[in-house]
């Protein structure tokens, strides 16, 4: 098992879906997983520490596990079959570990609430992770970035007075 952290949640401009990007905690490998907008919002709300007025579904699930004497230990993105990821929520109940099948998006939303680690199985990470190309930040369209050419844009952006924008909207 490889421990990962949530690197980011990206918006697809072509569909309603989002992509959660999981990053290997020890290397520069990333695992992108398509998720729905509701699950993306549930993860984001917790990561940004914006408490909802009423418990969301994942808050309810966390409370139910706790009230029934269980404790979430970790989650595991366990497999990818036919372009569908599978996850397991590992729960400790009186010293016995129970694994519950779940969608990765729901498992991740629960993991951020329970503050438990997220793992990806070795074979999923080996086959489906991606690594950024070297110097990807230094190139655009295969051409080396010339910081001198971009300095005019940097100077322009730095000269903008954005404090007046709020006044104009009123």
């Amino acid at each position: 098992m490889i421990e990962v952290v949530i690197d980011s949640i990206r918006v697809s401009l072509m569909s309603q879906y989002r992509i959660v990007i999981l990053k290997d905690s020890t290397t520069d490998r990333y695992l992108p997983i398509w998720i729905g907008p509701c699950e993306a919002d549930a993860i984001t709300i917790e990561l940004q520490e914006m408490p909802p007025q009423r418990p969301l579904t994942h808050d309810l699930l966390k409370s139910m596990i706790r009230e029934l004497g269980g404790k979430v230990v970790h989650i595991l993105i366990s497999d990818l079959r036919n372009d569908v990821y599978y996850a397991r929520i590992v729960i400790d109940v009186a010293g016995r570990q129970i694994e519950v099948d779940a969608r990765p998006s729901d498992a991740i939303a629960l993991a951020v609430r329970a503050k438990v680690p997220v793992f990806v199985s070795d074979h999923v990470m080996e086959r489906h992770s991606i690594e950024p190309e070297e110097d990807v930040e230094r190139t655009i369209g295969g051409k080396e970035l010339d910081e001198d050419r971009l300095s005019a844009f940097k100077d322009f952006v730095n000269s903008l007075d954005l404090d007046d924008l709020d006044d104009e909207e009123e």
Side-chain angles (χ1 to χ4, degrees):
M1 293 190 313
I2 297 165
E3 187 168 0
V4 295
V5 295
I6 299 168
D7 179 73
S8 61
I9 296 179
R10 309 280 173 103
V11 176
S12 168
L13 298 176
M14 305 304 284
S15 73
Q16 67 178 2
Y17 293 99
R18 311 290 189 262
I19 302 171
V20 62
I21 309 291
L22 302 176
K23 182 187 181 299
D24 185 328
S25 60
T26 60
T27 68
D28 277 340
R29 292 190 302 176
Y30 296 85
L31 184 68
I33 299 176
W34 289 91
I35 63 174
C38 296
E39 293 79 8
D41 289 346
I43 295 166
T44 303
I45 285 169
E46 185 64 26
L47 289 176
Q48 293 180 345
E49 298 176 351
M50 301 180 338
Q53 290 182 352
R54 298 287 299 137
L56 298 175
T57 304
H58 302 96
D59 300 309
L60 174 64
L61 181 57
K62 176 186 157 196
S63 296
M64 289 179 67
I65 291 169
R66 184 185 64 239
E67 291 299 318
L68 293 170
K71 180 179 184 248
V72 179
V73 176
H74 66 264
I75 68 144
L76 171 66
I77 312 298
S78 58
D79 204 1
L80 175 68
R81 292 179 299 216
N82 300 321
D83 295 326
V84 176
Y85 281 97
Y86 291 82
R88 310 290 293 164
I89 300 170
V90 179
I91 303 168
D92 182 277
V93 179
R96 191 180 99 197
Q97 286 197 348
I98 299 169
E99 292 189 15
V100 179
D101 182 38
R103 297 182 307 176
S105 55
D106 290 325
I108 293 168
L110 179 60
V112 296
R113 282 164 173 72
K115 305 206 182 343
V116 298
V118 176
F119 293 99
V120 175
S121 68
D122 293 334
H123 74 275
V124 169
M125 201 63 153
E126 292 296 322
R127 292 184 191 137
H128 305 290
S129 66
I130 56 174
E131 293 183 46
E133 294 179 21
E134 286 188 38
D135 293 334
V136 73
E137 292 103 17
R138 308 269 321 140
T139 63
I140 293 179
K143 294 183 180 179
E144 187 81 19
L145 283 178
D146 181 359
E147 290 193 26
D148 291 334
R149 290 181 63 204
L150 296 177
S151 66
F153 294 108
K154 183 177 179 182
D155 292 341
F156 171 72
V157 170
N158 289 336
S159 71
L160 293 175
D161 183 10
L162 302 176
D163 293 332
D164 294 336
L165 288 179
D166 289 335
D167 296 338
E168 292 176 17
E169 289 179 2
E170 294 174 2

